[in-house]
Amino acid sequence: MKTQVVKITDPQKQSQDVKHAADIIRDGGLVAFPTETVYGLGGDATNPLSSKKIYDAKGRPSDNPLIIHIAEPSDAEAYAYTNHVYYKLAEAFMPGPLTVILPKKETVPYETTGGLDTVAVRCPSHPIAHAMIKAAGVPIAAPSANISGRPSATSAKYVVEDFNGRVDMIVDSGDCEIGLESTIVMIDEKISDEGIVLLRPGAITYDALCCVCKDVLISPNIEGALGENERPISPGMKYKHYAPAAPLVLLDGDDESFISYLSNEQKNKNCAILCYDEDISKLDDKLLLTIGPKGDVATQSRRLFSRLRECDELKPDIIYAHLPDKNGLGLALYNRMIRAAAHTVIKIE
C-alpha cells in the first residue's frame, strides 16, 4: 500500500485535504491524524471492516475496545445511550481530552467495541481532528497511532515510522499538545446518581472530575494489572503498554539516591536515562534524555512518549527513569510509565 503523507496546519485553508482524508475514512480506509492528546489511527466506527483494519494494522488484540471520536457531544445520541451525567461531563470538558464509556446502540458494531455492550466516546478539541470528523459525517474509531504495545506517537514522524505502507494516509500537523492519551471514565449509577469510575487518568485529572461529579472512584487497575482472565473495558488497561524496545526500570527514591545509583550503573551498563533537567550536570553525559524540569509534570507528560521512542534509536540495554508521584497530572504520568515498565520498580536508598 502507498501511504500519502499530507501536512495540514489550517483546516479552513486546506479544506480539500481535509475532505480527501474524510473521503478515505468514509470509503473504508485508514487515516492517521492528530488530536490534542496523541495521534490516532482512524477508520469509520460504524463499519466493522474498518475496525478490523485498525486492529490488523496495529497488531492490536481484538478484545481491546476502540474509542469513537465525534464532532459534537450531542452526536453521541446516535451511537450510545446518554444521561444527565454524560452531559454534565460534556459541558465541563468537551471538546477536550475526556472519553466517556456508555451503553452502546446497534449503530456501533461489536468489532469496534471489542465485543462489549459499551462504547467509549470522545469529542476531541484539535481543530484538524474536529474538521475531519465533521467532513466524514461518521464517528471515527481511533486508537493511538502506534504499533500495539509501543509508545504512543505524539509526532507525525513516529506515525510514519510505524505505519508507512500500512495505512492510506497520514496527516502531519506537528507535535501534540498534551502528549498522553485522554482521561477515560465510566458512568456507574450503582455508585450514586452522579457516580463515575476513573479508568485511565489523563489531562482531565481526578480533582477536576470531582469538581463536576460528587462520587468519583479510582479503578485499582490504574496502578495494578488486569486479572488473568479479566477483559479490558477501556484502552490502556493491559499489563504492559507504551513500552520501548529495551526494558524500562523505574527508580523509587530521593534525588540523591537516584544520582548515586545511576552513577554506578553508567560505569557498568549500556543504559539510557530519562532524567530531569536538574539531573544532567550530576551524571555522565551519555544516553541522557531529559523529560523536563523536576516540578513540571505537564512538560514531562508531553515529552514522555517521544523520549521513549528516542531510547529505541539509542539502542540501550536498559532504561532507567524516576518513578513519578501520583498527584494531579502525575497520576496519568505514573500510569503510563508503570505500564511501559511492566511494573518493574526498584526501591533505592
Side-chain angles (χ1 to χ4, degrees):
M1 178 186 295
K2 181 174 174 56
T3 299
Q4 304 172 59
V5 181
V6 180
K7 192 170 184 65
I8 302 178
T9 56
D10 188 325
Q12 292 185 323
K13 292 181 180 178
Q14 298 173 268
S15 59
Q16 286 303 113
D17 290 330
V18 172
K19 181 180 181 302
H20 181 39
D23 288 343
I24 291 172
I25 294 285
R26 199 166 45 249
D27 292 341
L30 301 186
V31 177
F33 65 99
T35 77
E36 70 276 23
T37 57
V38 298
Y39 273 77
L41 178 60
D44 179 357
T46 66
N47 183 341
L49 294 179
S50 293
S51 294
K52 186 177 184 304
K53 285 183 182 179
I54 292 172
Y55 284 111
D56 290 346
K58 279 180 63 74
R60 181 184 178 99
S62 60
D63 67 345
N64 200 358
L66 306 177
I67 294 173
I68 74 167
H69 294 66
I70 55 178
E72 306 295 339
S74 60
D75 293 345
E77 296 293 343
Y79 312 105
Y81 294 97
T82 63
N83 59 22
H84 73 286
V85 180
Y86 168 78
Y87 279 105
K88 197 169 183 180
L89 290 165
E91 183 178 359
F93 304 118
M94 295 182 186
L98 179 69
T99 296
V100 182
I101 295 180
L102 299 164
K104 84 174 192 71
K105 291 185 176 178
E106 291 183 359
T107 46
V108 183
Y110 283 110
E111 286 82 355
T112 299
T113 66
L116 299 174
D117 290 320
T118 54
V119 61
V121 178
R122 176 159 121 74
C123 179
S125 61
H126 195 290
I128 291 167
H130 181 269
M132 274 184 54
I133 299 163
K134 195 167 183 180
V138 294
I140 297 181
S144 55
N146 56 288
I147 298 300
S148 188
R150 293 201 71 197
S152 299
T154 56
S155 173
K157 69 178 181 179
Y158 296 124
V159 183
V160 173
E161 184 179 286
D162 280 6
F163 291 109
N164 190 26
R166 299 166 70 97
V167 301
D168 298 282
M169 179 186 281
I170 296 170
V171 175
D172 179 356
S173 298
D175 294 341
C176 297
E177 177 186 358
I178 295 172
L180 297 180
E181 300 87 351
S182 63
T183 299
I184 300 179
V185 300
M186 180 174 65
I187 298 171
D188 190 345
E189 294 177 345
K190 295 176 184 176
I191 300 171
S192 73
D193 61 351
E194 286 190 10
I196 62 173
V197 180
L198 176 59
L199 297 174
R200 183 177 74 185
I204 307 299
T205 64
Y206 170 79
D207 290 339
L209 293 168
C210 288
C211 291
V212 176
C213 294
K214 62 184 180 183
D215 293 305
V216 183
L217 298 185
I218 298 178
S219 169
N221 290 322
I222 285 177
E223 297 183 29
L226 289 176
E228 185 175 344
N229 298 313
E230 190 176 357
R231 294 186 63 186
I233 59 175
S234 83
M237 296 183 75
K238 293 289 189 179
Y239 176 75
K240 187 175 181 181
H241 213 52
Y242 322 111
L248 172 64
V249 175
L250 304 180
L251 301 179
D252 181 11
D254 60 31
D255 295 342
E256 185 177 341
S257 299
F258 182 84
I259 298 301
S260 175
Y261 182 90
L262 289 177
S263 294
N264 185 63
E265 291 296 283
Q266 284 187 307
K267 296 173 185 175
N268 300 300
K269 293 181 180 177
N270 176 36
C271 58
I273 299 171
L274 301 185
C275 63
Y276 300 140
D277 292 356
E278 296 85 347
D279 298 330
I280 292 176
S281 63
K282 303 170 187 175
L283 293 164
D284 288 346
D285 186 16
K286 57 180 182 180
L287 305 191
L288 296 183
L289 296 168
T290 176
I291 60 170
K294 179 180 178 181
D296 189 349
V297 181
T299 296
Q300 294 166 28
S301 299
R302 187 166 58 250
R303 290 182 180 175
L304 173 65
F305 289 138
S306 63
R307 291 295 187 259
L308 290 176
R309 292 266 185 168
E310 289 169 28
C311 283
D312 286 350
E313 296 167 11
L314 296 173
K315 301 188 185 306
D317 296 325
I318 192 168
I319 305 165
Y320 292 107
H322 289 275
L323 179 71
D325 67 30
K326 305 171 194 175
N327 297 320
L329 181 59
L331 181 62
L333 184 62
Y334 177 94
N335 170 262
R336 303 315 191 274
M337 293 188 75
I338 202 76
R339 278 172 164 67
H343 295 255
T344 305
V345 178
I346 294 177
K347 180 73 175 176
I348 54 175
E349 297 177 353

